[in-house]
Amino acid sequence: MTESSDTSSSESEAESEPEQVSGYHRLLATLKNVSKEEEEEEEEEEDSVTDETEMNLEDGDSDISEEEEMAAESADMQGSVASPADPEGKDGHGPPGTSEESPEEFTDAKHESLFSLETNFLKEESGGDSSLKASQDPFVQHVNTKLKEKEIQAVATNPRTTHQLKWPILGQVVFSSKFQKLETFKPPKDIDLKSVHLQKPLESTWIKTNSQFLSGPPKSSSPFTPLQKELFLIMNSYRDLFYPERTALKNGEEIRHVYCLHVINHVLKANAQVLANNSRRRSQKLGVGDDDDFRDQGLTRPKVLIVVPFREAALRVVQLFISLLEGDSKKKIIVSNKKRFNGEYGSDPEERPPNLKRPEDYEAVFVGNIDDHFRIGVAILQRSIRLYAPFYSSDILIASPLGLRTIIGGEGEKKRDFDFLSSVELLIIDQADIYLMQNWEHVLHLMNHMNLLPLDSHGVDFSRVRMWSLNNWSKYYRQTLLFGALQDAQINSVFNKYCVNVQGQVAVRNVPMTGSISQVLVQLPHVFQRMEAESLASVIDARFNFFVNKILPQYRDAVMSHTLIYVPSYFDFVRLRNYFKKEELNFTHICEYTQKSGVSRARHFFLQGEKQFLLLTERFHFYKRYTIKGIRNLIFYELPTYPHFYSEVCNMLRATGSGEEAAWTCTVLYSKYDAQRLAAVVGVERAAQMLQSKKNVHLFITGER
C-alpha cells in the first residue's frame, strides 16, 4: 500500500467530474489572474465599472443562479470534497495532465530502499546513539513516559487543572493538564544550544539558518530571538502549545524557523533510535520478536504532520528542512525530486499583478503559489531528503486541510485512507485563522481521524512498536502546536478538545487592551446594540430576528440609502439575501462566489444609489479587499472575525464623496457570546462594561478633530 497517498479518481468520483471546480477554487484562481481591467478598475474604478454596466444593464440580482450553483457546497462551506484530483492547476487554468490531475498522484518509487528504516543502519561516523541514551534528553523522556490504565481512564472525568504565569515575551501563559500532575516552568535568562539537546548537525546549521533574525555578532548573541527562545522551550518540553499571535507580517517566518528546527530534531532523534537498534539487533543476531528492548516506533512511519494553507508555505518549510540539514557544510545533501517540487510548489514572480493597492497584511498572506489543494510526503535519512515519498514511507507529511480531506474521505466512501495519521507524534497547525476563511470543517474532520488504530498492518514489525502505540494511547503522546493570528472560539475549542498530551498544554492568552476601533480614521458614531440570546445555539436566530425587527425598520426609509451590511457568516448571508428578496427590498449583494461582472455591477449600482442596500460577506473581503465606494451607513451584522477588518471597513467611508460626513452612521450587533471579538474591537475593559451594563446601546465616536 505504498501508493496510498494517491488521489486517483474512483468510480464514485467520476460521476461528479463537472462539479469538480468548486466556486472556492475559482475564487482562488481569480486572486492570481487579475485582469487588466481590474488593475485599471482599482485605479479608475468608476470608468471601467460604468463600461461594464452598460454591457450588462440587467438587474444586480441576475447572478444569483450561478452563485447558487457555485455555492452548492455551502452546506460544507467550501467543501470541494468531491474534487480529489483538483482539476485546476495552481491558477485555475492548468492543463490536465499535470501532477494533481494524473490518475496516480506522483510518488517517488525509485528511492524506497535508500530511505527504508527497516534495512538501514546507523553509520559509525554519525556519533552513535550515545546522545539518545542521555536520560535528560526531552525526546527520550517523553517517549519513555509510562502511563497506567487507571490514569487514562481518569482523563475523561478529571477536571483540567490550570496555572497562569507571566513570561517576559509571551506574556500571559496558561499551563494546564488533564493528568494529575501539572508542572510549570519559567524561561531561563539565556540558553545555549548544548542545553537543548539538538541532534547533529543542527547545532551548527541552526545558527546559519536563523541568522537573518539575529542581530549582533554571531558568537555573542543567543542562537534564538527572544520569542523563539520561549516558544522552543515549550516545544522542546513536548507540551501542546497554542500561540494566537502569529501574523504573516510580523513574526510568521521567525516562528516557522523554530518549529521546523523542532520537527527535524524530533525526526532525526526518532530515526537515529531505530537505526541504532537495527545495528544492535544485527550485532546480537536477533530475529524478529526476539527481544522487547527495541520498541522504538509507531504503527506507521509518518511521525510529523504539518498543516499549512498554501503551497508557498509548504515550499518554505521544505527549504528550511534542507537548510537545517545542510547548513554551510561543503557537502551538499541529497534532495530527491527537488526540481519537480520547485516546479509544483514554486511560483512565477511575473504572475503577481502589479500596482493593486492592497494592505500589507494581504500581500504577506497571499504571496507565491496560493493553491490550497496539496499533500506531500517527506522522508529523512541522516542527511538525505526524499520529497514525494509514499505516505507510508514518509517521516513528515506536509498538507493543506483540503489535501487531507480528499484522501481521508467521508463515511461510506469506497476509497479512503487515514491509517497514515495513526502514529503522528507531532502535529503542527500553522496559520489556523486562514482555515476559518477556507473551510473549518476540514480541520475538525482531520482532528477526528488523528491517532486512530490503523485498519491495515502496513508491514509493521509489531515487536518494534512502542507499547503505548499498541494500547491505542498515541493521542496522549501526540504534541500539537497550534499557531494563528486570533484568539478565536473555534480555534480554542480544537485546542481544548483534541489536545490531551500527557506533558500538558500551554496557551498564550493575552487580552487586547486597545481595540481596532482606535484605527478608525473617519468621523463616525458607532452604535453598538446588544441583543439577548438564551444559549449559544439560539444566537443565530436571535440575531436574525433582532436585525429584522429592530434594526432594519430604521433603514427602510429611502433617506437611509447607501447602506452596507457586513456579514461574516455565509449562512447568515444566504438567509438575509432570501429575506431581502422575499420582502422585495431594493438591494444587491456580493459574496465570495459572485463572478467578476456581478461584483462590478453591484458596486456600480450601490455607488450610484440605484440599490439601497449592499450585502457583503467577510470572505469576499478577506480574499479581495476591494474598497467599496459610496457607503454612508454601515451595519455589522456580526463583529468581524479579524479585528482589523472592523477599522478597514469603517475607513472605506473615506472613499465616499465629501460633504456627507455629518450623516454617516455605523451600527454593530453583538451578544454576550461575542466577548472575544468585542474585546478585540473596543478593548477588554470597555467590552466588559458593555457586556455587564444594564444599557443595551453603547455609543462610540471616532475621528473627532
Side-chain angles (χ1 to χ4, degrees), residues 142-392:
H142 177 58
V143 297
N144 291 343
T145 303
K146 297 265 190 295
L147 276 176
K148 298 189 183 70
E149 184 76 47
K150 63 172 194 290
E151 289 179 276
I152 298 285
Q153 286 164 350
V155 167
T157 51
N158 280 350
R160 192 180 276 280
T161 48
T162 63
H163 184 74
Q164 188 159 324
L165 290 175
K166 191 160 171 48
W167 280 33
I169 305 296
L170 294 179
Q172 294 301 327
V173 173
V174 179
F175 285 80
S176 63
S177 177
K178 292 279 274 183
F179 289 88
Q180 283 310 298
K181 55 174 201 310
L182 174 63
E183 292 172 11
T184 64
F185 68 98
K186 280 207 148 177
K189 274 223 161 35
D190 334 284
I191 50 171
D192 66 340
L193 286 181
K194 291 275 181 287
S195 67
V196 293
H197 299 272
L198 292 184
Q199 192 75 350
K200 285 183 179 162
L202 297 176
E203 273 186 35
S204 56
T205 59
W206 169 248
I207 307 266
K208 180 169 190 284
T209 303
N210 201 41
S211 57
Q212 66 190 71
F213 300 110
L214 303 173
S215 49
K219 285 283 172 262
S220 65
S221 64
S222 156
F224 297 100
T225 65
L227 172 66
Q228 285 176 334
K229 178 183 88 172
E230 295 189 6
L231 290 175
F232 189 72
L233 285 165
I234 296 168
M235 292 178 195
N236 206 30
S237 71
Y238 281 90
R239 289 169 172 83
D240 295 325
L241 168 66
F242 174 35
Y243 180 72
E245 294 172 27
R246 176 234 188 269
T247 58
L249 263 180
K250 204 172 70 212
N251 55 17
E253 292 314 304
E254 197 181 328
I255 291 169
R256 195 190 320 272
H257 275 64
V258 79
Y259 75 63
C260 285
L261 172 69
H262 182 53
V263 166
I264 295 291
N265 196 30
H266 180 84
V267 169
L268 288 178
K269 287 177 182 179
N271 285 356
Q273 197 178 36
V274 173
L275 299 181
N277 282 344
N278 288 354
S279 303
R280 282 168 56 205
R281 286 171 65 110
R282 180 173 61 173
S283 61
Q284 293 171 26
K285 302 205 168 29
L286 290 171
V288 170
D290 277 359
D291 197 331
D292 229 19
D293 279 356
F294 297 107
R295 296 193 175 276
D296 52 17
Q297 51 200 270
L299 287 157
T300 51
R301 180 166 168 184
K303 302 175 239 319
V304 179
L305 171 61
I306 303 177
V307 181
V308 285
F310 304 121
R311 283 183 184 246
E312 170 69 22
L315 176 77
R316 292 182 182 189
V317 165
V318 169
Q319 285 169 342
L320 279 173
F321 289 170
I322 294 170
S323 170
L324 283 168
L325 289 173
E326 204 165 61
D328 47 5
S329 65
K330 300 293 169 280
K331 237 177 22 187
K332 283 268 181 250
I333 62 165
I334 301 160
V335 182
S336 52
N337 308 304
K338 187 175 177 181
K339 188 164 182 245
R340 181 185 188 112
F341 176 74
N342 287 334
E344 288 179 9
Y345 285 75
S347 62
D348 183 347
E350 270 129 56
E351 257 181 40
R352 193 88 195 136
N355 75 16
L356 285 189
K357 295 188 195 71
R358 293 286 183 266
E360 278 181 302
D361 66 295
Y362 178 93
E363 296 293 352
V365 168
F366 295 105
V367 65
N369 184 337
I370 51 166
D371 176 47
D372 72 330
H373 187 191
F374 60 89
R375 51 179 174 266
I376 184 168
V378 181
I380 291 182
L381 205 74
Q382 286 163 3
R383 302 205 45 187
S384 310
I385 296 184
R386 176 192 190 192
L387 301 174
Y388 298 97
F391 269 24
Y392 290 92

Side-chain angles (χ1 to χ4, degrees), residues 459-573:
V460 68
D461 172 358
F462 286 102
S463 71
R464 298 286 296 271
V465 177
R466 295 190 188 101
M467 288 315 294
W468 49 259
S469 224
L470 294 172
N471 287 340
N472 197 19
W473 292 351
S474 294
K475 66 176 178 183
Y476 301 110
Y477 288 83
R478 183 190 79 236
Q479 180 184 28
T480 307
L481 307 176
L482 189 52
F483 300 102
L486 299 169
Q487 288 272 14
D488 179 88
Q490 294 179 85
I491 303 175
N492 268 333
S493 148
V494 160
F495 188 70
N496 294 334
K497 181 177 172 187
Y498 294 101
C499 298
V500 286
N501 180 342
V502 60
Q503 308 297 341
Q505 289 69 47
V506 178
V508 175
R509 302 243 183 254
N510 294 312
V511 291
M513 294 322 286
T514 57
S516 59
I517 195 167
S518 59
Q519 263 90 57
V520 177
L521 306 172
V522 292
Q523 197 165 347
L524 186 63
H526 305 251
V527 179
F528 284 77
Q529 302 226 15
R530 187 174 74 216
M531 43 161 222
E532 302 305 328
E534 294 310 308
S535 66
L536 191 53
S538 66
V539 163
I540 295 171
D541 289 336
R543 189 185 303 278
F544 179 75
N545 294 326
F546 184 83
F547 176 78
V548 165
N549 300 323
K550 297 271 176 20
I551 305 292
L552 198 54
Q554 306 165 25
Y555 286 84
R556 283 187 152 195
D557 190 340
V559 180
M560 301 299 276
S561 66
H562 295 278
T563 298
L564 176 94
I565 304 173
Y566 178 96
V567 192
S569 154
Y570 181 73
F571 299 116
D572 288 337
F573 166 80

Side-chain angles (χ1 to χ4, degrees), residues 487 510-517 528 639 643 670 674-688 690-691:
Q487 288 272 14
N510 294 312
V511 291
M513 294 322 286
T514 57
S516 59
I517 195 167
F528 284 77
L639 285 153
Y670 74 98
D674 297 322
Q676 269 178 324
R677 290 186 182 189
L678 184 64
V681 169
V682 300
V684 71
E685 286 171 9
R686 281 169 166 176
M690 290 163 69
L691 292 166

